């Protein structure tokens, strides 16, 4: 498990103590409120009596107030945002969450819900002195049904642990992402996380069967059903999926787990240009059909930098683009044959320049590791501006060369990679250090370009703290007003994750 403290990433996630020691010697990120010039809202300030009350509710051990202990919970994964919270609460039950929120709502203390703190848009850390409610101790699996595939658990369960447990029952979690060793299912639900196999298993609005959440005033909303079909009134669970902790705190989750595939095969291919990737995607869908579980792409810069910065092997030579294809099926020989046939056919056609196919767990892991590590590889070289956009597939890669030209020598690297099958590209721009000048070259330019092709400015990471003032590029005024109305209804004092998702009027 990865702690919320992390400085050098992905392959070098550290344990708590090592992380803490590093904070002592490295420069801290600038305070978010100063960096982004935000004004504190009129919430109450934490007083000694509040801390005493929290200790009365949770006991001394689960109320952190020591500055060094609290610091890692104030800083986000990419070290872009830093809050100023003075207290971290670690509830163990829904009842405790409810009591905390009732108290905070009455006192008008702002709250920042926090899961694994792997979010990439600054939503998981406070901006000012919000009370951090970290869900790590709500980590029990309640039940798992081998027949229906329904797993019920508390929100703080780590995604990878759930997947390991599901595998013992011949099931898998329907989502997988590079942060699986740290992110929590409650965080996944609250961000509507997509990930690597959305192409095959769909998004969480489909997989989440039910959930339990606590509203800002402490009311527990029980929608923890495991039924596949339940059309009794409004589908309230969807309000909490993707609302990034602004409408309620998710405390329990019921999720549908697909059957563990008997055969998994991974192919990693070199490709000449992006046009050929799209042709290859079409061909993969028709040749591999129902067994296709992932179709990922990365450009040369993504792979070569990850390989160099994190010392990870690239199993094939250098190519302008790479494609990772994975199949989940029920017959290893059949699936490997299908993938090898696809490889042979497309090598002959010239769409694939070189490639490797494997069903060996170790080899597959090496390939996935390279792909999953791209997200953190740039951080070794400086500050990374991260964009996560949905774009119609025919324009998918167009922005990357445009941004390379626009940034010129101000960028160390500009790389594009992502989930081609979902039209979701991640663009990472590494610069030696954060500057407002670099930021203004990129924003709002990128969002304007995305809006021109009817894309989304956030495909899967959410809006968080970083993007509320750009949300209008993807949501019209009437939709935004309805979102404000919902927020007002569910959290009239606005205590839940303020400064996030909705823009200031
Ligand atoms: C290496 C890496 C790879 C990643 N890959 C992907 C990817 O492929 N796809 C993808 O979608 N994301 C990806 N992410 C982003 C991130 O991992 C996901 O957004 C993840 O779902 C966040 O989960 P978390 O538990 O860390 O939540 P946090 O980061 O702690 O919180 C995220 C948001 O959810 C809220 N929140 C957390 N828990 C709760 C709760 N119980 N109740 C209410 N609100 C809550 C927080 O307030 C915050 O707004 C990646 C991140 C990293 C570091």
């Amino acid at each position: 498990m990865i702690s919320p403290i992390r400085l050098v990433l992905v392959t070098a996630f550290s344990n708590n103590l090592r992380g803490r020691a590093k904070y002592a010697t490295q420069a801290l990120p600038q305070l978010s409120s100063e960096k982004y010039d935000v004004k504190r809202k009129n919430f109450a300030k934490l007083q000694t009596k509040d801390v005493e009350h929290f200790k009365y509710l949770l006991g001394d051990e689960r109320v952190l107030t020591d500055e060094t202990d609290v610091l890692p919970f104030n800083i986000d994964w990419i070290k872009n945002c830093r809050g100023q919270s003075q207290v971290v609460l670690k509830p163990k039950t829904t009842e405790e969450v409810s009591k905390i929120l009732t108290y905070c709502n009455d006192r008008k203390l702002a709250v920042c819900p926090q899961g694994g703190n792997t979010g990439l848009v600054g939503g998981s850390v406070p901006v000012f002195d919000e009370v951090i409610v970290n869900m790590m101790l709500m980590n029990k699996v309640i039940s798992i049904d081998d027949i229906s595939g329904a797993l019920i658990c508390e929100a703080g369960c780590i995604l990878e642990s759930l997947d390991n447990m599901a595998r013992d029952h011949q099931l898998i979690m329907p989502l997988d992402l590079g942060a699986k060793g740290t992110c929590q299912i409650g965080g996944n639900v609250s961000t509507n996380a997509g990930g690597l196999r959305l192409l095959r298993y769909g998004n969480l609005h489909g997989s989440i069967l039910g959930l339990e959440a606590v509203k800002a005033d402490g009311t527990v909303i029980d929608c923890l059903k495991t039924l596949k079909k339940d059309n009794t009134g409004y589908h309230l669970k969807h309000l909490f999926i993707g609302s990034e902790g602004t409408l309620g705190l998710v405390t329990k989750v019921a999720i549908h787990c697909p059957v563990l595939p008997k055969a998994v095969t991974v192919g990693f291919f070199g490709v000449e240009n992006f046009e050929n990737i799209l042709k290859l995607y079409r061909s993969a869908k028709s040749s591999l059909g129902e067994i296709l579980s992932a179709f990922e792409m990365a450009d040369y810069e993504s792979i070569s930098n990850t390989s160099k910065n994190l010392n990870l092997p690239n199993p094939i030579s250098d190519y302008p683009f790479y494609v990772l294809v994975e199949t989940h099926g029920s017959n290893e020989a059949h699936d490997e044959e299908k993938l090898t046939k696809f490889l042979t056919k497309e090598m002959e056609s010239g769409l694939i320049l070189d490639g490797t196919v494997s069903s060996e767990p170790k080899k597959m892991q090496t390939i996935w590791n390279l792909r999953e590590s791209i997200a953190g590889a740039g951080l070794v070289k400086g500050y990374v501006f991260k964009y996560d956009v949905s774009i119609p597939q025919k324009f998918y890669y167009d922005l990357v060369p445009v941004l390379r030209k626009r940034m010129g020598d101000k960028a160390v690297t500009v790389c594009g990679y992502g989930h081609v099958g979902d039209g979701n590209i991640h663009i990472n721009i590494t610069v030696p250090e954060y500057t407002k000048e670099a930021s203004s070259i990129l924003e709002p330019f990128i969002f304007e370009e995305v809006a021109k092709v009817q894309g989304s400015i956030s495909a899967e990471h959410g809006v968080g703290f970083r993007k509320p003032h750009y949300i209008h590029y993807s949501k019209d005024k009437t939709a935004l007003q309805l979102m404000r109305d919902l927020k007002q209804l569910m959290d009239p004092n606005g205590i839940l994750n303020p400064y996030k998702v909705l823009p200031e009027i």
Side-chain angles (χ1 to χ4, degrees), residues 199 276-286 292 295 323 342 351 393 420-422:
L199 180 67
N276 286 356
I277 292 186
L278 286 185
K279 289 183 188 158
L280 206 55
Y281 176 50
R282 230 178 134 179
S283 164
K285 281 200 291 183
S286 103
L292 182 63
F295 191 98
V323 164
F342 165 72
L351 289 184
Q393 279 150 335
V420 186
D422 315 328

Side-chain angles (χ1 to χ4, degrees), residues 2 14 44 46 70 136 149 188 192 201 227 252 270 294 321 326 357 364 372 399-400 433 476 496:
I2 307 160
S14 53
L46 189 79
V70 173
M136 62 167 67
N188 300 147
N192 186 24
Y201 299 111
L227 303 169
K252 291 191 186 105
F321 289 91
E326 184 197 63
V357 169
M364 291 194 293
E372 289 178 23
L399 251 178
V400 180
E433 60 180 349
D476 90 339
L496 281 179

Side-chain angles (χ1 to χ4, degrees), residues 77 113 115-119 123-124 184 188 190-191 193-195 244-245 250 460 497:
W77 193 86
N117 196 11
T118 66
S124 54
Q184 301 172 4
N188 300 147
S190 302
T191 53
E244 301 180 63
V250 176
E460 58 179 9
N497 234 1

